[in-house]
Amino acid sequence: MLELQTEKLQPIKLPQLPDNPLVSVLIANYNYEKYISQTLESVLRQTYQNFEIIVCDDGSTDNSCDVIANYVRKDSRIKLISKQNGGVASALNAAYQKSQGQIICLLDADDIWMDRKLEKVVNEFKTNLQAGFVIHNVAQIDSEGKLIKPHPMYKNLASGWMGVHALENGGFINNIPQASALSLRREIADYIFPLNEEFRRNADSLIFRCAPYITVIGSVPDVLNQFRLHGSNTTSVAIVSADFIEKSQTTIARVHQEQKQFLLKVYGTEIAERLKDWRCSLIVCQNLYLLARLKGASKLETRKAHQQLINHPEFYQLFGRNTPHTWLLKWGEFLPDAIFKMLFDQIYGSGSLRRFVGRFRRKKLFVSRVAE
């Protein structure tokens, strides 16, 4: 493990990669018999072929292991680890322990990579010499593999040295995608693994919330992963509700504690104490205001939460100036609870406006494909 200069927050100085670095693809699988073949095939189709695939099956009760074992027999680069169910963090830990690559890439067992994913990620690491953490854009697909939205999930991606920003923003850096878009240099991964195995879900958040404290973020704007949304996902949701927001807040608070422990381990008390409260980030401010409105909090509470939200310096940067979300968050404070909840359901939830916009986008995408 490389030594870090702990007197101040700064990125690790990384050695140069070899010309043809080995990439370790880590997959945690649990009952994804339906999708795991597509996932593995998407790796095997890569234009960059110097990789190993390590699948940890986390106690599946379906035929996942049989499907994976068939691939193991056909390609020596694929390895299967089977263990009792312990959650995503424990499965990733087991896979990481067996990995040998200079680059570590995470891949959810139900997602699909674009053919040039590894080629472009390796190139970003090799050209951005101090980047130990690389991300890229993603597109959303449904359970059948059809695009949900015709555009990438992110208009912009985080990039550069953002350690100080993360400290000052309660541990948050916006515009970092989920697991299948995360790649690490091994020198960085060695600081982060093993992951806390109490995180049976959301284990990828431990990676993308801690890596920016010790390395530069490299970003590839291209869509290199299809992120599948379906009923069995542990980290995705198509409809936002008060219950979902409350669970998200709990997870955010737990991850914040992990960040503090990580900073203590790597830098010591002085740096760790500079991590601001998790409630100061824009996402949390949004969640607190929405919960206040949806749960009928007092006018004093909702007004306080509203002011903290709309006066946040990143408000327009994240939500834009002319979006339904911005309008509701900015002006919804002047609406009665019943109307606010109705509009919330239309914009965030399962309302007919949301469904109409989704159908319109899919139709528009279909038309554009026919025109091609």
Side-chain angles (χ1 to χ4, degrees), residues 29-315:
N29 176 74
Y30 179 70
N31 285 347
Y32 276 162
E33 174 190 3
K34 180 178 179 180
Y35 303 117
I36 190 63
S37 288
Q38 297 174 52
T39 301
L40 292 172
E41 290 288 349
S42 76
V43 184
L44 296 175
R45 286 194 304 267
Q46 292 297 302
T47 55
Y48 185 89
Q49 285 283 302
N50 190 25
F51 59 76
E52 62 176 1
I53 305 172
I54 304 173
V55 185
C56 180
D57 184 79
D58 194 35
S60 293
T61 57
D62 62 4
N63 292 320
S64 293
C65 282
D66 292 338
V67 174
I68 300 164
N70 187 46
Y71 278 92
V72 172
R73 286 189 290 269
K74 293 189 292 185
D75 195 318
S76 61
R77 295 174 298 178
I78 305 175
K79 302 173 181 66
L80 172 61
I81 303 168
S82 298
K83 70 176 193 63
Q84 292 183 339
N85 182 259
V88 177
S90 69
L92 289 176
N93 285 342
Y96 183 71
Q97 191 173 18
K98 296 293 184 182
S99 69
Q100 298 180 339
Q102 290 95 5
I103 295 172
I104 308 297
C105 292
L106 271 61
L107 176 56
D108 283 345
D110 54 345
D111 285 356
I112 298 173
W113 279 351
M114 304 296 98
D115 293 356
R116 298 183 65 193
K117 145 87 178 198
L118 291 183
E119 175 191 338
K120 293 190 175 186
V121 165
V122 170
N123 183 64
E124 178 65 19
F125 277 121
K126 292 178 75 173
T127 56
N128 192 345
L129 300 180
Q130 287 308 303
F133 177 39
V134 167
I135 60 177
H136 57 73
N137 224 320
V138 303
Q140 293 176 317
I141 58 174
D142 63 18
S143 61
E144 302 304 317
K146 298 177 182 177
L147 280 169
I148 294 174
K149 296 180 180 179
H151 49 76
M153 282 185 67
Y154 298 89
K155 291 183 179 179
N156 301 290
L157 291 171
S159 65
W161 171 239
M162 302 195 72
V164 175
H165 173 79
L167 282 182
E168 295 174 349
N169 198 36
F172 258 83
I173 297 175
N174 296 321
N175 300 320
I176 296 181
Q178 87 301 330
S180 298
L182 309 181
S183 301
L184 300 165
R185 287 280 299 268
R186 188 169 205 94
E187 294 88 348
I188 302 303
D190 279 342
Y191 275 95
I192 298 171
F193 282 88
L195 307 174
N196 184 343
E197 296 190 359
E198 291 182 7
F199 280 76
R200 296 182 62 87
R201 302 182 175 188
N202 306 112
D204 58 329
S205 62
L206 300 177
I207 296 171
F208 67 73
R209 295 293 180 215
C210 290
Y213 291 122
I214 57 174
T215 193
V216 169
I217 304 172
S219 63
V220 180
D222 304 348
V223 170
L224 300 178
N225 173 60
Q226 291 182 330
F227 171 45
R228 197 185 299 270
L229 285 167
H230 58 87
S232 301
N233 291 63
T234 62
T235 57
S236 63
V237 66
I239 298 172
V240 178
S241 63
D243 181 60
F244 171 76
I245 294 172
E246 286 186 321
K247 288 178 180 178
S248 296
Q249 294 288 80
T250 300
T251 299
I252 291 168
R254 290 178 64 208
V255 172
H256 187 269
Q257 284 299 313
E258 289 296 309
Q259 289 178 297
K260 192 128 188 180
Q261 291 302 313
F262 179 77
L263 290 167
L264 278 168
K265 179 181 72 173
V266 174
Y267 290 107
T269 304
E270 184 177 349
I271 297 293
E273 290 302 318
R274 287 173 54 191
L275 176 62
K276 289 191 177 180
D277 189 273
W278 61 280
R279 298 172 187 85
C280 77
S281 74
L282 177 60
I283 295 298
V284 174
C285 288
Q286 172 198 232
N287 291 349
L288 290 172
Y289 175 62
L290 290 175
L291 282 174
R293 292 305 307 269
L294 295 174
K295 289 186 163 287
S298 68
K299 277 291 182 184
L300 182 62
E301 289 179 84
T302 58
R303 192 175 297 114
K304 180 181 177 182
H306 183 253
Q307 288 300 307
Q308 288 177 331
L309 172 61
I310 64 171
N311 290 321
H312 196 284
E314 295 182 349
F315 181 79

